[in-house]
Amino acid sequence: MSGNGDVVLIKDGKRLDGRDFDELRDIKMEVSVLERAAGSAYVEWGKNKVMVGVYGPRELHPKFLQDPTKAMLRCVYNLAPFSVDDRKKPGPDRRSVEISKVTSEALSSVVMLERFPNTVVDVFIEILQADAGTRCAGLTAASLALADAGIPMKDLIASCSAGKIQGQVVVDLMKEEDNFGECDLPMAIIPKKGEVVLLQMDGKLSRDEFKDAYKLAYDGCMKIYDLQRKTLMDSMKKFVGEGGIENGD
Ligand code: CDP
């Protein structure tokens, strides 16, 4: 968030990629994309490409980390070295540790961890291509992958960001807007309850701007939720259509 006033981000009332202020980037979602994971999802969100694999629940080692009252939900968010313009050094850094932590906390609010004592559910979020908003795309895909794994959940988590560019509050910032805009406000919600489980802010907003950005991000999350449900329904229909249940698969 440099807030560089010289870079033109809005022209004739449209954003650089032709979007309106309240318009999301194009989004594609798919589940059951990995054979060896318990559940998986692939999401393309604008130029972001995200793959998530879920493993478990399985017994947690070392044993002293086990909790007899619930499972541990462990997320690893990884930005691939080739996912960004300047090659990223492989391995965890402060940013990925932070994103892994907030993601696992958001997901833990819906996964029924108490059903699986002493175990761990591993969620691997691989960002193959990054163009801003990867934590939202990662969370959205992770929630789909958990559902695909058949792990009991109270609801999905839907995530989307809003922010401010050239003094204008907009939804779902892409890379140029994130780099040269004034603020980014990623959010994640439990849609059925309308409860916010992640809200971060990078940059500055006035109180009124914050209200507008909050509403845009929230409405964005609800649009994502509709897409997530449709993706899961389509996958279920395909499974039943292929005789999955009759075959006892
Ligand atoms: O991706 P998200 O918006 O959730 O997180 P961010 O920390 O605000 O990063 C914004 C964008 O900066 C990422 O999506 C990447 O496109 C880019 N980035 C990068 O080019 N190199 C990095 N080491 C980290 C981020």
Side-chain angles (χ1 to χ4, degrees):
M1 284 296 142
S2 67
N4 185 338
D6 299 338
V7 180
V8 177
L9 297 171
I10 300 177
K11 217 174 155 193
D12 303 328
K14 297 272 185 191
R15 296 155 73 177
L16 286 183
D17 55 2
R19 275 187 293 156
D20 288 323
F21 302 146
D22 61 351
E23 193 177 340
L24 299 181
R25 288 174 281 186
D26 286 341
I27 299 167
K28 279 188 227 155
M29 300 178 183
E30 210 182 326
V31 290
S32 298
V33 288
L34 299 174
E35 251 179 52
R36 293 181 194 89
S40 56
Y42 175 66
V43 169
E44 285 186 6
W45 184 326
K47 291 184 198 156
N48 290 316
K49 296 187 178 183
V50 182
M51 179 72 82
V52 176
V54 167
Y55 293 84
R58 55 187 169 179
E59 196 180 349
L60 175 59
H61 291 285
K63 276 200 163 180
F64 72 85
L65 290 177
Q66 291 184 359
D67 184 339
T69 66
K70 61 177 191 322
M72 174 194 282
L73 193 143
R74 193 164 53 186
C75 286
V76 179
Y77 165 102
N78 181 48
L79 195 69
F82 50 79
S83 67
V84 286
D85 286 334
D86 296 324
R87 175 185 174 277
K88 189 210 161 266
K89 195 169 156 242
D93 55 11
R94 283 170 66 99
R95 176 178 174 277
S96 64
V97 169
E98 173 217 319
I99 297 179
S100 301
K101 181 177 187 291
V102 293
T103 300
S104 106
E105 283 169 2
L107 293 170
S108 295
S109 63
V110 289
V111 177
M112 297 180 177
L113 297 170
E114 63 286 355
R115 301 257 183 110
F116 307 101
N118 300 320
T119 67
V120 60
V121 177
D122 277 307
V123 180
F124 297 100
I125 303 172
E126 299 291 336
I127 310 296
L128 306 175
Q129 191 166 287
D131 197 70
T134 59
R135 76 195 63 204
C136 298
L139 245 172
T140 298
S143 148
L144 279 176
L146 283 161
D148 182 53
I151 295 174
M153 295 160 82
K154 294 174 200 149
D155 194 5
L156 295 166
I157 295 290
S159 181
C160 184
S161 84
K164 184 175 144 190
I165 55 165
Q166 267 183 241
Q168 176 67 47
V169 174
V170 300
V171 76
D172 187 22
L173 275 60
M174 61 172 174
K175 179 86 187 313
E176 292 79 357
E177 296 174 332
D178 186 285
N179 280 2
F180 302 113
E182 290 106 85
C183 186
D184 183 24
L185 187 85
M187 175 190 281
I189 64 169
I190 306 175
K192 269 197 245 165
K193 280 199 204 168
E195 198 175 299
V196 175
V197 288
L198 177 141
L199 188 65
Q200 298 184 288
M201 186 156 96
D202 179 13
K204 281 186 190 160
L205 293 174
S206 70
R207 191 178 286 256
D208 284 342
E209 285 166 349
F210 176 80
K211 279 188 193 157
D212 292 345
Y214 186 97
K215 180 162 188 331
L216 274 184
Y218 190 94
D219 292 348
C221 289
M222 292 310 276
K223 288 180 191 163
I224 294 297
Y225 185 50
D226 286 344
L227 288 174
Q228 286 175 307
R229 282 194 306 179
K230 186 175 177 310
T231 305
L232 289 170
M233 288 302 285
D234 288 350
S235 156
M236 194 49 73
K237 277 183 203 153
K238 195 171 156 225
F239 178 67
V240 173
E242 286 168 359
I245 289 174
E246 283 85 337
N247 291 340
D249 283 352

